[in-house]
Amino acid sequence: IIIIIIIIIIMGVFNKQQQRNSTATSSKLRRRNSSKLRFDTSNKNKNRGTSSRSRNGVSSVFRLVGHQIAASKHLQQLWLSSTLSSSSLQLQTQQKTKCCSSQSCSNHDHHEKDEFTMLLRLEEIHQHAKTLYQNGDYETASTLYQQAADIKSASLKSLTTSSSVVSLPEKEEQEGESPSPQDETDATTPASSNTSETTAARSPPSSSYIYQRMDFDEGMHAYEDPQDVDFSSGSPSEIEHSLAMVSVFLYNAGQAKRQCEDFDGAAACYESALRMLPKKHTLLIPLLHNLGQLKYRQGNLPAAVQYYMQALNEQELGTTPAQDLSIARTLNCLGVLHYHSSADQASVSMEFFRRALAIQTNVLGKDDGELSEEGQRTHAVVATTLNNMGRVHVQRDEFDDALGYYEEALRIRKLRLGSDSIDYAATAFNAGQSLHQKGDYDRAIDLYKEFLRVARQKFSQHHRDIAVVLSGIAQIHQERKDHTRALALYQESLEVGRAALGEYHSEVAMLLNRIGNFHFERENLNAALAAYQDGLRIEQRVLEETHPNIIVTLSNIGEIYRQRNEFDAAIKLYGQALELQQKRLGDSHADVASTLNAIGLIHDQNSNTTQAVKFLQEALVMRRTVLGDDHLDVSATLTYLGTILYRKNMMTTAMQLFSESLRIRLAKLGKDHRDVAFTLYNVGLCHQLQGC
């Protein structure tokens, strides 16, 4: 009996000690768990159960502690049985939270515990950043993604410091390139390449400014979403897996910065991610695409082409090109870049588009059946490529061919995106543009109005593209000689443009140039001069010094002064335009020759024959060099020189000049053209005065 009493006392003391130990362990775990990063303390219990690792790790420790507390209230044998029944759970927990008793594995297990804690923290940061990104809080999401990258980078540096084989790529300081975007101009009228032979006012060179923004889809938005992060630890190389994780965090930070239009910051994130990314990683193509698109939006087209060509080379190494839509996406992007680079690149651009369309058609087949929502979006990319091909034909002034592509793109976009889609509206605008150039004014106005219908739903009433399309409709009324309606629409377009963009913007200057052209055509020179001067004031503030639009406006103002017989002022303005052309284009260019020709004619009107002959001879030599001996511009300068020499009674030389001009015009225009008739008349006068 005494022995039994002693045993009971001893067991009671033992159980009380065990209960105190288990309570201390529980308190310690709670303190450690509460030290983890949390973003919403009101959801503490919910956050604790979010991660699968949390459920398998920390929560299992709490279950073990529960077993220990319960065991202290029963016999020692029951406590031991309960502990043994959860031995597998104890083993899993011990691998993450306990240190080995031996010194040899102490450091290793301590690293595993720290790594596990860090992964839990990173996963929580990633999930919160992802939610913020989806909710549109891009700035905070970017900060969190960058924080996650810094945490993992610090861990990786400590890991690689102890390795004699692998070293972590150093993060280079990024010098953000100062973007120098070109403020682009109007897309509704083609530029006039030869203006010296006409007194009509000029319009700024046309371009597709509307597409270098994010509002419209030209196929450049390939990889817009953040990437998921692989938090597993089963990688063949722990360092390689960690490098990939840092790269994804940096990539996601770049995605968020791009949404904030912090393009330099986004580029820095992408470039850092690219340096760290392991070879052949799936993130490589999205990184190259986004770097290329940033360079494109910043106006650095050569750099953009390099990134997309690198992506294309990587893609074609590991797949069958004819079966891969991602390759078609890259080919389309290269086509867009060459389209925007120069009209001389039109054939290169078209070849990229043809290759993209061939892959899309091969993979997707004909779009004539019922499709899922995903299938509809996939087939919509075909319409994007077709739309881009139409733009190349417009660039070549091939409006019939362009219209064919636009109409097919319009059909697909209406079917797959709906008639209220802004991309459907953009193609309607493009098709209207081609019809406008073909002189089909009624259909053009209908499509322009279709664009306005959608744009006024999607945008505000005061939007830059609404201003442009109103101006295009005004041009049609002007060409129909409905001047009252045209002027009202021009004024409305200017009001909308100023409300949307402010006073100092190149598109506002373009609208003023159109209004100036309208008044010039109506021979209202004072109103035209006021509009041109207002536009020039804006252009000289917002555009580079030698921008073509400034040159055009200076020439238009000079032409008004010429028509008002203010020859000194006219020569001054044309001289300024000539100086800018020579800086931009060099001393031997067709446009430089045209301005020299115009200055020569003004000197002739001002009775300064010597200066007139000097400038016209210089223009003639340059035109022969640049354009060839049989160009119509050469014929025009020959005629002007012949006329001056005729008045100076230098009949033999004048006859030679008129005769050469006649040869060119007969070959180029045919015998029934009026310019041929004028030249024959000049030749006849020379013969008459020579008594022939």
Side-chain angles (χ1 to χ4, degrees), residues 412-425 453:
I412 296 174
R413 283 183 162 175
K414 184 175 184 179
L415 178 66
R416 298 305 171 200
L417 303 177
S419 59
D420 291 334
S421 161
I422 196 62
D423 291 319
Y424 161 80
R453 179 187 65 80

Side-chain angles (χ1 to χ4, degrees), residues 534-554:
D534 204 8
L536 180 64
R537 172 180 57 85
I538 296 170
E539 289 169 344
Q540 289 178 329
R541 177 164 172 174
V542 302
L543 300 178
E544 60 178 310
E545 179 191 9
T546 61
H547 195 280
N549 290 11
I550 295 177
I551 296 169
V552 167
T553 307
L554 287 169

Side-chain angles (χ1 to χ4, degrees), residues 437-565:
Q437 295 298 328
K438 284 165 56 65
D440 191 344
Y441 296 142
D442 289 335
R443 291 177 63 199
I445 287 179
D446 287 343
L447 288 172
Y448 282 156
K449 288 182 176 178
E450 185 72 351
F451 176 87
L452 288 177
R453 179 187 65 80
V454 179
R456 283 168 170 156
Q457 292 176 7
K458 301 294 183 181
F459 306 138
S460 67
Q461 291 295 317
H462 295 148
H463 191 272
R464 61 196 298 181
D465 299 323
I466 291 176
V468 169
V469 177
L470 286 171
S471 178
I473 297 173
Q475 273 191 310
I476 292 177
H477 286 293
Q478 179 182 349
E479 290 161 16
R480 285 175 158 175
K481 308 302 181 184
D482 184 356
H483 299 297
T484 302
R485 180 61 177 153
L487 183 58
L489 285 167
Y490 278 134
Q491 294 292 351
E492 184 182 357
S493 73
L494 182 60
E495 291 172 7
V496 172
R498 280 174 166 159
L501 302 168
E503 177 70 10
Y504 290 98
H505 195 281
S506 61
E507 290 170 33
V508 174
M510 178 270 294
L511 294 171
L512 285 164
N513 183 278
R514 286 190 172 185
I515 292 173
N517 290 350
F518 171 83
H519 288 300
F520 184 91
E521 182 184 298
R522 300 279 293 157
E523 298 183 358
N524 187 352
L525 298 183
N526 290 335
L529 181 61
Y532 288 144
Q533 288 177 332
D534 204 8
L536 180 64
R537 172 180 57 85
I538 296 170
E539 289 169 344
Q540 289 178 329
R541 177 164 172 174
V542 302
L543 300 178
E544 60 178 310
E545 179 191 9
T546 61
H547 195 280
N549 290 11
I550 295 177
I551 296 169
V552 167
T553 307
L554 287 169
S555 300
N556 286 345
I557 295 173
E559 181 59 27
I560 288 178
Y561 284 127
R562 185 191 73 80
Q563 293 201 18
R564 286 166 46 164
N565 294 328

Side-chain angles (χ1 to χ4, degrees), residues 667-683:
K668 295 292 186 179
L669 303 174
K671 64 180 181 178
D672 296 327
H673 196 277
R674 67 173 189 169
D675 288 348
V676 172
F678 290 145
T679 311
L680 283 168
Y681 177 78
N682 291 338
V683 172

Side-chain angles (χ1 to χ4, degrees), residues 151-223:
I151 292 171
K152 187 60 181 174
S153 293
S155 168
L156 189 53
K157 285 181 180 179
S158 65
L159 177 64
T160 54
T161 300
S162 62
S163 171
S164 60
V165 180
V166 182
S167 61
L168 181 67
E170 291 295 326
K171 182 177 181 180
E172 299 176 7
E173 290 295 325
Q174 296 295 315
E175 292 187 10
E177 296 179 18
S178 298
S180 54
Q182 299 291 321
D183 287 289
E184 299 189 348
T185 53
D186 157 45
T188 63
T189 58
S192 174
S193 60
N194 179 15
T195 59
S196 63
E197 274 63 44
T198 177
T199 58
R202 299 167 63 189
S203 295
S206 66
S207 68
S208 297
Y209 80 94
I210 199 171
Y211 284 98
Q212 216 157 346
R213 307 197 318 272
M214 298 293 285
D215 296 337
F216 303 92
D217 178 24
E218 54 183 351
M220 300 294 286
H221 312 159
Y223 300 94

Side-chain angles (χ1 to χ4, degrees), residues 20-21 63 73 96 168 184 231 340 404 542 589 617 670:
R20 285 196 296 271
N21 290 343
R63 288 198 296 272
K73 298 178 181 180
K96 297 294 183 182
L168 181 67
E184 299 189 348
F231 289 99
H340 284 296
V542 302
H589 190 278
Q617 284 180 331

